[in-house]
Amino acid sequence: QVQLVESGGGLVQAGGSLRLSCAASGSSLRVYTMDWYRQTPGKQRESVATIGSGGITNYADSVKGRFTISRDVAKNTVYLQMNSLKPEDTGTYYCHAGRVVIGGKYDYWGQGTQVTVSS
C-alpha cells in the first residue's frame, strides 16, 4: 500500500508560480510511475505531467515549458513546479502512483490539492 499526501496548492495570480508536493509513505516511489493529474468541474481528470521509474518525463501540451515534474527519492516525494500560471490551470491536482506487475497493476491516488489562478 502507498499513501500519497499532496500539498502546496493555493490561490495565485496569473503569471505566478506554485510548487506542489506529493509525499509518499508505505513504499518507495522509486518503482512507480508518478503522475500529476488535474481535474476541473465538468471535465475528465487529465494527466499533466509524468515521471517514469527511470526518470523520463512527459508533459501535456498545455503545460510544456511551464511545468516541471521531479522526484526526490531520499524524501520519497514528487514535485510539480508550476510557472507562468494561467487561469486555465485552475483545478484540483491529484498525485498518482502506478505500477504494472505480472498478474495485475497498482494504482494509488492522493486526496488532491486545489490550485486557483486568478486573472
Side-chain angles (χ1 to χ4, degrees), residues 31-106:
V31 298
Y32 288 87
T33 293
M34 301 299 300
D35 310 90
W36 284 98
Y37 280 75
R38 176 171 67 201
Q39 186 159 29
T40 53
K43 292 187 178 180
Q44 280 192 325
R45 197 175 289 189
E46 60 170 346
S47 174
V48 297
T50 300
I51 184 165
S53 57
I56 294 175
T57 58
N58 193 40
Y59 299 92
D61 288 342
S62 60
V63 307
K64 273 181 187 174
R66 300 187 298 120
F67 289 14
T68 303
I69 187 171
S70 62
R71 180 178 60 195
D72 187 327
V73 174
K75 293 183 178 179
N76 218 28
T77 299
V78 174
Y79 303 97
L80 185 67
Q81 178 67 44
M82 306 187 293
N83 298 328
S84 302
L85 282 161
K86 304 175 180 179
E88 52 263 43
D89 294 319
T90 294
T92 303
Y93 284 71
Y94 295 91
C95 180
H96 169 262
R99 184 182 179 198
V100 177
V101 298
I102 295 175
K105 65 178 212 174
Y106 296 96

